[in-house]
Amino acid sequence: MADKRYEVAEFPHPYVTVDVLIFSIIGGGLSILLIKRSNPPFPQEFALPGGFVAEEEGLDGAAKRVIEAKARMKGPYLEQLFTFGEVKRDPRGRVVSVSYLALVPEEKTKVVGDGKHIVTWFGAKKLPQLAFDHKIIIETGMNRLKSKIGYSNIAVGLMPTKFGLGELQRVYEAILGRSLDKRNFRKKMLSLDLLNEVGESSGGRHRPGKLYSFKSDKPVFFK
């Protein structure tokens, strides 16, 4: 017989959602994928792709479902970001959001609509009016990305399979928001044992540049 002190039905049940912050580097700048809401609350305002977590669904599974259904993408780099639970963050009631950080390379940023949602990439410095507390979620995600790129291989989620060091440097600069010394950047990246040399670019009239790939697409951390 169940102990009545722990009868689940007696306790309030906040709703749980996932909100996914999808980053890419587009045209040399850090960009974010947003969806225009059609229903209340906040109709006609932009928001992060998100949704309620089903009763028999895990959090990671819910985040992947949202990415596939609303962003029409599969298999991006994905990690849990933070949990947002301010009491009045959602006017519909008590809703706790578990946010996720996703990364996609520019070559995979073509928006494929589903006929229902307006999906648009925005530059991180030129965001529209945002629904809920999504401005705070985006700021949190940008700070995580800026911090983590300094001690991990997280940039792998933003790069094509093969790339030059100049291309990689531009991604770092877009995230950090500042220019980096070319010579020091190359020396640093090659000393971290994160990259494999995989060939040379065509180079055109110039000397062919070396191409690299990340040794692992799994998280790698360094000092």
Side-chain angles (χ1 to χ4, degrees), residues 5-63:
R5 291 178 301 171
Y6 301 102
E7 186 66 44
V8 175
E10 295 180 4
F11 297 92
H13 289 70
Y15 293 101
V16 179
T17 64
V18 291
D19 289 304
V20 186
L21 176 50
I22 305 175
F23 281 124
S24 188
I25 305 296
I26 301 178
L30 184 64
S31 298
I32 301 163
L33 189 71
L34 299 175
I35 293 181
K36 193 171 188 179
R37 293 180 57 81
S38 56
N39 298 318
F42 307 106
Q44 304 307 307
E45 290 189 11
F46 280 92
L48 297 169
F52 286 90
V53 179
E55 190 169 345
E56 300 297 327
E57 185 176 42
L59 292 172
D60 289 1

Side-chain angles (χ1 to χ4, degrees), residues 32 36 87 98 107 137:
I32 301 163
K36 193 171 188 179
V87 174
V98 181
E107 62 190 29
I137 295 178

